[in-house]
Amino acid sequence: GAGVSQTPSNKVTEKGKYVELRCDPISGHTALYWYRQSLGQGPEFLIYFQGTGAADDSGLPNDRFFAVRPEGSVSTLKIQRTERGDSAVYLCASSLGREGLLKFFGPGTRLTVL
Amino acid sequence: DQQVKQNSPSLSVQEGRISILNCDYTNSMFDYFLWYKKYPAEGPTFLISISSIKDKNEDGRFTVFLNKSAKHLSLHIVPSQPGDSAVYFCAASKDSGGSNYKLTFGKGTLLTVNP
């Protein structure tokens, strides 16, 4: 597709379960970013990939959160032992390189933890 | 501690008039600023940005003004159109050091443009 895509668009899970959220960046974009937007807040940085490696994971809130990008394209954000406070919209963005201008965000995955 | 503040949760203007969206920041290390527009169920869409070496940047109907001494920026939309109705986010980064992907966002302002 032409833009960043994210699946699923909505995910409802129970407290304590494991979830995976997927991001397909724009073809050819080497940099990929995950952000999280909680209700009533602006997006908050989680992690940045350059190619296959996590160049900056300083925004991950705790060790229940993990993200991978094994082939330098699709990325998966993994959340273990979900908590109600993890409920948010998880946004993915990509860019050609580390020029840093985040122009292209995906539509997000709305995660609800019951 | 909110480093980027958008103190107006909402703003309503008439079609054809000017919309002025305001943003304040507290961290003097911020030197690059961006505005995004967000429709429901969509990701943020980049609108316009400004570096701290400038005090104004214009792109079509959108102009961003930066007042570094006041740590204040504003987005002007002229003329406003009903399709501009959306949530607008102000964001800031520390461009130096290569960490300009790490944006700090405000909470957003809901703009409604009435026909």
Side-chain angles (χ1 to χ4, degrees):
Chain A
V4 179
S5 62
Q6 293 185 246
T7 53
S9 55
N10 280 283
K11 176 71 178 177
V12 180
T13 191
E14 293 180 343
K15 180 174 179 289
K17 299 289 188 183
Y18 167 83
V19 296
E20 290 188 351
L21 312 177
R22 176 187 168 110
C23 172
D24 279 272
I26 293 172
S27 178
H29 280 193
T30 59
L32 184 145
Y33 318 84
W34 283 97
Y35 275 73
R36 174 171 76 170
Q37 185 178 8
S38 301
L39 190 63
Q41 305 294 317
E44 295 177 305
F45 169 77
L46 293 177
I47 187 169
Y48 154 55
F49 285 90
Q50 182 59 46
T52 60
D56 184 349
D57 64 358
S58 62
L60 294 178
N62 52 60
D63 61 6
R64 295 186 299 104
F65 289 75
F66 190 70
V68 295
R69 195 184 184 202
E71 297 177 356
S73 179
V74 170
S75 176
T76 305
L77 179 66
K78 308 181 181 195
I79 311 174
Q80 298 177 322
R81 304 182 306 280
T82 51
E83 299 178 356
R84 293 195 179 90
D86 299 335
S87 296
V89 176
Y90 288 81
L91 295 163
C92 178
S94 69
S95 64
L96 264 176
R98 209 189 66 170
E99 80 264 25
L101 193 55
L102 266 62
K103 285 189 175 182
F104 308 104
F105 277 88
T109 293
R110 179 175 296 279
L111 175 66
T112 303
V113 182
L114 301 177
Chain B
D1 176 31
Q2 193 99 39
Q3 296 187 65
V4 176
K5 300 178 185 178
Q6 294 177 256
N7 291 320
S8 297
S10 63
L11 174 68
S12 183
V13 300
Q14 284 300 119
E15 181 178 5
R17 304 294 291 269
I18 184 171
S19 294
I20 300 177
L21 298 137
N22 293 304
C23 178
D24 296 290
Y25 62 97
T26 57
N27 190 335
S28 58
M29 298 296 290
F30 288 145
D31 55 10
Y32 198 80
F33 305 90
L34 306 90
W35 283 94
Y36 290 85
K37 175 171 73 174
K38 187 180 184 304
Y39 295 118
E42 293 186 13
T45 302
F46 169 75
L47 279 175
I48 192 168
S49 62
I50 188 167
S51 165
S52 60
I53 62 172
K54 295 185 175 182
D55 56 16
K56 176 182 175 182
N57 189 26
E58 193 171 354
D59 184 0
R61 296 186 298 114
F62 301 92
T63 302
V64 56
F65 295 91
L66 175 62
N67 182 333
K68 277 189 67 178
S69 61
K71 294 191 178 69
H72 177 83
L73 64 156
S74 60
L75 175 68
H76 292 210
I77 307 174
V78 183
S80 301
Q81 299 172 354
D84 296 330
S85 298
V87 176
Y88 288 77
F89 289 99
C90 169
S93 75
K94 304 166 195 175
D95 190 57
S96 56
S99 61
N100 51 1
Y101 55 83
K102 196 182 290 186
L103 301 177
T104 300
F105 283 83
K107 292 186 177 184
T109 296
L110 174 63
L111 173 66
T112 303
V113 180
N114 301 303

